[in-house]
Amino acid sequence: MTALKNDRFLRALLKQPVDVTPIWMMRQAGRYLPEYRATRAKAGDFVSLMKNPELACEVTIQPLDRYPQLDAAILFSDILTIPDAMGQGLYFETGEGPRFKKVVSSLADIEALPVPDPEKDLGYVMDAVRTIRRELGGRVPLIGFSGSPWTLATYMVEGGSSKDFRKTKAMLYDHPQALHALLDKLAQSVTAYLNGQILAGAQAVQIFDSWGGALSAAAYQEFSLAYMKKIVDGLIREHDGRRVPVILFTKGGGLWLESLADTGAEALGLDWTCDIGSARARVGAKVALQGNMDPAVLYAKPAAIRAEVARILAAYGAGSGHVFNLGHGITPEVDPAHAGAFFEAVHELSAQYHQ
């Protein structure tokens, strides 16, 4: 494989010295970019775009061409590829988000689910990873990702997005053995899927636990964290002569950082409700931290964006182990110039913390 020209993202995840704080952004290939919207229109719809490796590569690289400050690319895909490959029938309803043609509601449904083979059943994702790695030519590292078992389970049981997760939580309390069977199958699937991405060329991986924060403390440990730990234990951690760092991101998980840091992951993603300085004091000797600006700050003027970047950098303080990011994905209505101001501010203002 081509040598990496910019490895500061991987170095920061391993808490090695860097010249400036590296930055990438969740959903950096997305609807806020006119070039993304043009490619998506060419593909016809989101699922067709995601399942076309050449077009997925095109939109993955678009933000890097526009913003030379970005220190990583993230595979363009969706967290719901695994349930789709299990036969749930993913589709997107305009204005409604993702939906599934089939829902999981019983132990019999769960036992009938296959564990997808990454190359056979999710080959379009592996092809996208290989295509992106080739086209990047070592510019920056490529991040692969998956949803967490708990988060994937909520979509499979609810049949789509949910505000209260009533069906999944009813299963959790009424039929915990059924939910554990589903989560175990999903953990096996995610492990195989992420290992497939690593073998295809992903140089770091992130597990998105988007809905872990909806659980009670006890339920989080048993039904979300335990399965993420299982995945971390099963991942390929060295490939192409380099460590492959793992980032765990539980939105709303600030209460449980110590437990997250004990999983063996290299880094924890933080949402914007968490103070990064406090988080570093709690777990920073064990893991790197990623985050954590409120995505809504990008609606403000560049001077305000810059001030918030300065505040977060100062809260983290000197030294490596910080990857700057938003506390969740960028939203479609953001002005692309504001994203550019954000990236410029991070590199410019962080240099003083890496003397």
Side-chain angles (χ1 to χ4, degrees):
M1 286 282 189
T2 320
L4 261 179
K5 299 178 183 81
N6 171 359
D7 68 350
R8 62 168 73 98
F9 164 71
L10 296 177
R11 291 177 65 81
L13 289 178
L14 300 175
K15 306 184 78 180
Q16 295 167 355
V18 287
D19 55 339
V20 294
T21 301
I23 180 154
W24 69 280
M25 181 171 67
M26 289 185 272
R27 284 201 215 116
Q28 65 189 25
R31 286 178 288 166
Y32 73 105
L33 290 177
E35 54 268 44
Y36 167 87
R37 295 196 297 271
T39 307
R40 178 167 161 166
K42 185 166 66 176
D45 58 45
F46 177 84
V47 174
S48 304
L49 175 56
M50 175 181 78
K51 292 191 174 182
N52 181 316
E54 283 69 35
L55 294 182
C57 174
E58 187 179 305
V59 295
T60 297
I61 291 176
Q62 282 170 350
L64 302 172
D65 289 341
R66 185 185 271 260
Y67 305 115
Q69 300 86 2
L70 285 168
D71 293 301
I74 182 164
L75 162 70
F76 180 78
S77 190
D78 193 85
I79 63 168
L80 299 178
T81 51
I82 287 176
D84 187 44
M86 288 174 145
Q88 296 307 104
L90 174 67
Y91 67 101
F92 283 79
E93 198 76 72
T94 310
E96 292 290 317
R99 316 290 301 167
F100 283 117
K101 290 173 185 157
K102 284 187 187 171
V103 294
V104 171
S105 56
S106 68
L107 191 54
D109 292 342
I110 293 159
E111 285 167 349
L113 292 169
V115 172
D117 178 284
E119 289 291 349
K120 286 192 191 135
D121 305 312
L122 289 154
Y124 66 92
V125 179
M126 305 306 136
D127 287 344
V129 172
R130 283 187 278 265
T131 306
I132 296 161
R133 264 304 291 273
R134 186 184 70 237
E135 293 303 314
L136 280 172
R139 276 164 78 175
V140 292
L142 175 61
I143 305 165
F145 72 91
S146 173
S148 71
W150 162 255
T151 293
L152 298 179
T154 65
Y155 286 98
M156 294 172 78
V157 175
E158 305 291 336
S161 305
S162 174
K163 286 193 168 69
D164 54 14
F165 310 104
R166 67 181 75 172
K167 293 177 186 168
T168 323
K169 287 191 175 185
M171 185 185 282
L172 186 157
Y173 293 109
D174 284 336
H175 305 290
Q177 71 288 359
L179 187 55
H180 278 304
L182 176 57
L183 293 167
D184 191 64
K185 199 164 266 194
L186 285 167
Q188 291 175 53
S189 303
V190 170
T191 305
Y193 182 54
L194 290 177
N195 281 338
Q197 290 182 40
I198 291 164
L199 293 172
Q203 290 146 294
V205 292
Q206 175 157 318
I207 298 171
F208 284 86
D209 187 30
S210 307
W211 305 124
L215 290 165
S216 71
Y220 176 74
Q221 298 283 337
E222 184 180 347
F223 292 93
S224 182
L225 189 67
Y227 290 96
M228 290 197 287
K229 175 153 181 25
K230 205 170 193 176
I231 294 162
V232 173
D233 289 344
L235 289 178
I236 296 164
R237 305 304 284 279
E238 300 277 343
H239 189 59
D240 270 348
R242 270 188 180 270
R243 183 80 172 162
V244 181
V246 180
I247 307 161
L248 298 185
F249 174 58
T250 293
K251 186 167 181 278
L255 293 168
W256 309 310
L257 295 181
E258 290 83 357
S259 301
L260 278 156
D262 284 339
T263 56
E266 276 77 11
L268 306 182
L270 304 176
D271 67 28
W272 66 93
T273 63
C274 219
D275 178 76
I276 199 164
S278 306
R280 188 182 190 187
R282 286 163 61 192
V283 296
K286 229 176 214 179
V287 288
L289 295 173
Q290 179 178 277
N292 65 332
M293 193 171 87
D294 181 349
V297 174
L298 294 176
Y299 292 126
K301 293 187 171 68
I305 294 168
R306 191 178 170 86
E308 184 61 4
V309 166
R311 186 193 68 73
I312 292 166
L313 288 168
Y316 184 83
S320 191
H322 180 200
V323 171
F324 215 111
N325 206 316
L326 300 177
H328 203 238
I330 185 171
T331 44
E333 301 78 19
V334 167
D335 181 340
H338 288 201
F342 169 46
F343 303 142
E344 283 169 19
V346 170
H347 276 190
E348 187 190 327
L349 300 174
S350 65
Q352 63 180 303
Y353 296 103
H354 299 283
Q355 303 294 347

